[in-house]
Amino acid sequence: MLPRKTWSLRSAAAALTLSIAAVGFSSAVLADWEPSKPVEFIAPANPGGGWDTLVRTVSNSIRAEELAPVNFAAINIPGGGGSVAWAQIGRDEKNDHKLFATSPPIILVPLSGRSRFDHNDFTPIARLITDYSIVLVRADSPYQNINDLFDAMKKDPSMSIGGGSAAGSMDHIAIAGAAGAAGLDASSVNYIAFSGGGEVMTNLRGGHIAAGISGAGESSAQLEDGMLRALAVSSSERIPGPVADVPTFVEQGVDYTFDIWRGVMGPKDMSAEAVTYYQDLLARMQETDNWKQSRDRLGWYDAYQNSEEFGKFLDEQYTLFSTVLKDLGLLAN
């Protein structure tokens, strides 16, 4: 059984300076490059999850604000918690017209032995936002708070908790870490992996799983029709916006937080000109009204890092998650 602890991803990045001005390449020298054809912007999962939401929100903001001369075409490549898409992108080195959404699974899935591609096989472009995990149940569920759910899981370890990432990846780590902090054996959580947050919601609504865990931002719309209820969110304080009424784990006596960062990467060996163009484009996008409105609606927090900063952050995440997975007994040999 794991000792009580708080696994906050924010602490791993606390020392980094989130300065838009500190770019990895000289914008003045490389400013003439721009994409010459539509950019493939890949969500490595089915529609409806966090990667898909990020891809479509970014693409819509760029188009609405007329920030680029070409469209950013949203493409879904589901499977393997991201590994299917990464394998395809990994074969497409030096492609300056392909990007993909990324988050902790780019570290977690390889560490758990489920992908031979990791963050070092791609080009970091920019980190964009921070989101949080949220635990959901059906509106008619007997569990009124997170401790009700954990008490039931203690009595019946076979209770299924669904998530939109692979076993050993982000959603699994989020719920297992919370369970461990609540005094359960984190490795015994019966986690069911689905191909994205949309599939989690479908199975939860259908009563096929006892609870689901997903990103708070992508789940806010799922709460609007009253079919689902939220039990806890993994932020240190309540999140303003659509899920403002949802209590944190900490409020309910579970000493646990979990941040979900999301960003953009590209194929390996992209040109320096393309990297600079995209990181600067995304920095400008975050200052637009369209982005700010979408960000607030989804409950996201801006957390921009340029390519160089994001690359260092990913290396730190690798070190952090190696420890987390080892604690859970999920680190691949």
Side-chain angles (χ1 to χ4, degrees), residues 220-242:
S220 57
Q222 300 286 344
L223 296 168
E224 292 178 355
D225 63 7
M227 287 190 64
L228 302 178
R229 286 188 290 109
L231 300 184
V233 65
S234 68
S235 53
S236 58
E237 299 177 349
R238 292 202 185 193
I239 303 173

Side-chain angles (χ1 to χ4, degrees), residues 17 51 97 307:
T17 302
W51 285 330
H97 292 81
S307 176

